[in-house]
Amino acid sequence: MLKTVSEKAVKEPDIQAEGKINWKDLLYSLGALLGLILLSAVLTVLSPDFLTLNNLMNIARQSAINSLISVGMLLTILTAGIDLSVGSVLALSTVVMAILIIKLHVSPFIGVLAGLCLGAFLGFMNGILLTKLHLPHPFISTLGTMNIARGLALIVTGATPISGFPFSVQFLGAAFWGPIPVSFMLVLVVFIIFHLFLTRTTTGRYIYAVGGNPEAARLSGVPVERVLVIVYTLSGFMAAVAGLVLIGRVNAAYPLAGLGYELDAIAAVIIGGASFFGGVGTVWGTLVGALIMAVLRNGLNLLGVSADLQTVAIGAVIIGAVYIDVLRQRAINKGRR
């Protein structure tokens, strides 16, 4: 029974059934990618500077941080949860790296490792709070962690940024391999790993099963609580990895870093085809969602749109993506009747 639940949870849409193409499932599978292509085509027409190598590499670099956070956020949304703490976890992990490496002159390797472990620990605590305290929704536990981590980041730094990292720490966020940002190469490697994790491992199948139907998964023998702890631990770890890339971008750690990053990550995941109802979503869809966010911001900048109007546009895109998710879920429920 366990195998049946897991396989059903990760089943891909049936694009071709009985020799006929299922256009609805095809559109669902490729909708985000088609949206990215259409958006890019429109911006290419509107701005001659959009489709240039320098600008495309700039988009890749700008999308890296959100992509790294989003792949962790994807795991939580697959379980019908959410992680509001990722921006604050990013900030606290980076300032801890800064204090150890710059203030206390600890080895950069040890400092970075400590920051990454702190991010994973904070995610682990999110999972423990959710599963052991039996809170009604991860919104509560991660909201609490968000405020705790942000407050600690402000306290330990005196609310001031810390700069002056060695290049070895900045490498992932600052270096290029030819014209290609190393940060985007890191994104591709990470996404390949997470794709294999979700599709080729038992824990990955469990994650889909928990999001699809947690009670059925529990009755099938899935260790639901352990799966949730793993999911939130990975989300916290990826927030810390994104923080390391941010250090390379700005050569500084500051306690207010990551404000609003959780919203961008949620938007990327949902735009990429994941569902707030859990059990639906892919790693590559999430990457496309993050690229759509980056392309949209980049294009609006090239067109001279003010930051205020950009915020309005991003908000409209998020609402549209969530509404599409609601319509999709209604269609699924209607089909089951």
Side-chain angles (χ1 to χ4, degrees), residues 319-335:
I319 292 173
V322 174
Y323 183 61
I324 291 172
D325 179 35
V326 171
L327 293 178
R328 183 170 60 233
Q329 190 64 30
R330 286 179 183 173
I332 292 172
N333 293 336
K334 185 177 180 180

Side-chain angles (χ1 to χ4, degrees), residues 65 92 97 116 143 149 192 195 233 275 306 324 329:
I65 294 172
L92 183 57
M97 293 181 199
L116 296 178
L143 179 64
I192 290 171
H195 171 74
T233 300
S275 172
S306 69
I324 291 172
Q329 190 64 30

Side-chain angles (χ1 to χ4, degrees), residues 58 62 294-307 310:
N58 186 40
Q62 290 174 345
V295 166
L296 182 59
R297 283 202 168 95
N298 177 269
L300 293 175
N301 281 329
L302 291 177
L303 296 175
V305 177
S306 69
Q310 289 186 35

Side-chain angles (χ1 to χ4, degrees), residues 41-103:
V42 170
L43 291 174
T44 299
V45 172
L46 295 177
S47 174
D49 295 325
F50 177 78
L51 201 61
T52 61
L53 180 61
N54 286 340
N55 190 58
L56 294 177
M57 291 301 99
N58 186 40
I59 291 172
R61 189 166 182 246
Q62 290 174 345
S63 69
I65 294 172
N66 189 28
S67 297
L68 293 170
I69 297 176
S70 296
V71 75
M73 185 68 73
L74 170 67
L75 302 185
T76 68
I77 290 179
L78 285 175
T79 61
I82 200 169
D83 189 351
L84 298 178
S85 68
V86 288
S88 298
V89 169
L90 178 152
L92 183 57
S93 64
T94 55
V95 299
V96 166
M97 293 181 199
I99 290 172
L100 290 175
I101 296 171
I102 298 173
K103 300 292 187 181

Side-chain angles (χ1 to χ4, degrees), residues 17 68 108-109 171 208 212 234 281 294:
L68 293 170
F109 175 79
F171 177 78
Y208 280 97
L234 288 173

Side-chain angles (χ1 to χ4, degrees), residues 122-133:
L122 291 171
F124 173 79
M125 291 306 301
N126 278 332
I128 292 297
L129 290 172
L130 175 64
T131 57
K132 300 305 180 183
L133 296 186

Side-chain angles (χ1 to χ4, degrees), residues 83-332:
D83 189 351
L84 298 178
S85 68
V86 288
S88 298
V89 169
L90 178 152
L92 183 57
S93 64
T94 55
V95 299
V96 166
M97 293 181 199
I99 290 172
L100 290 175
I101 296 171
I102 298 173
K103 300 292 187 181
L104 301 180
H105 305 292
V106 172
S107 162
F109 175 79
I110 299 299
V112 168
L113 182 62
L116 296 178
C117 289
L118 176 60
F121 174 75
L122 291 171
F124 173 79
M125 291 306 301
N126 278 332
I128 292 297
L129 290 172
L130 175 64
T131 57
K132 300 305 180 183
L133 296 186
H134 302 290
L135 298 178
H137 194 274
F139 180 95
I140 306 298
S141 55
T142 60
L143 179 64
T145 305
M146 177 183 76
N147 285 283
I148 291 171
R150 183 69 65 187
L152 288 174
L154 289 166
I155 290 170
V156 298
T157 60
T160 58
I162 304 173
S163 59
F165 286 92
F167 183 75
S168 58
V169 179
Q170 298 180 54
F171 177 78
L172 289 177
F176 286 79
W177 188 57
I180 304 173
V182 170
S183 57
F184 191 71
M185 297 173 65
L186 172 65
V187 167
L188 295 179
V189 171
V190 166
F191 272 66
I192 290 171
I193 292 172
F194 272 82
H195 171 74
L196 295 175
F197 169 66
L198 285 175
T199 60
R200 303 295 178 86
T201 69
T202 301
T203 302
R205 291 191 290 270
Y206 283 169
I207 290 171
Y208 280 97
V210 170
N213 191 324
E215 188 57 32
R218 184 178 288 105
L219 293 174
S220 301
V222 174
V224 174
E225 291 190 355
R226 188 180 74 187
V227 169
L228 290 174
V229 170
I230 291 173
V231 161
Y232 284 91
T233 300
L234 288 173
S235 180
F237 176 76
M238 290 312 304
V241 173
L244 180 59
V245 173
L246 179 62
I247 285 175
R249 288 282 303 274
V250 300
N251 190 23
Y254 49 102
L256 294 180
L259 284 174
Y261 281 18
E262 61 279 352
L263 302 180
D264 281 356
I266 293 168
V269 173
I270 299 302
I271 291 171
S275 172
F276 269 127
F277 299 96
V280 175
T282 65
V283 164
W284 301 115
T286 297
L287 178 58
V288 172
L291 288 173
I292 288 176
M293 297 283 289
V295 166
L296 182 59
R297 283 202 168 95
N298 177 269
L300 293 175
N301 281 329
L302 291 177
L303 296 175
V305 177
S306 69
D308 295 337
L309 286 178
Q310 289 186 35
T311 303
V312 173
I314 296 295
V317 169
I318 293 172
I319 292 173
V322 174
Y323 183 61
I324 291 172
D325 179 35
V326 171
L327 293 178
R328 183 170 60 233
Q329 190 64 30
R330 286 179 183 173
I332 292 172

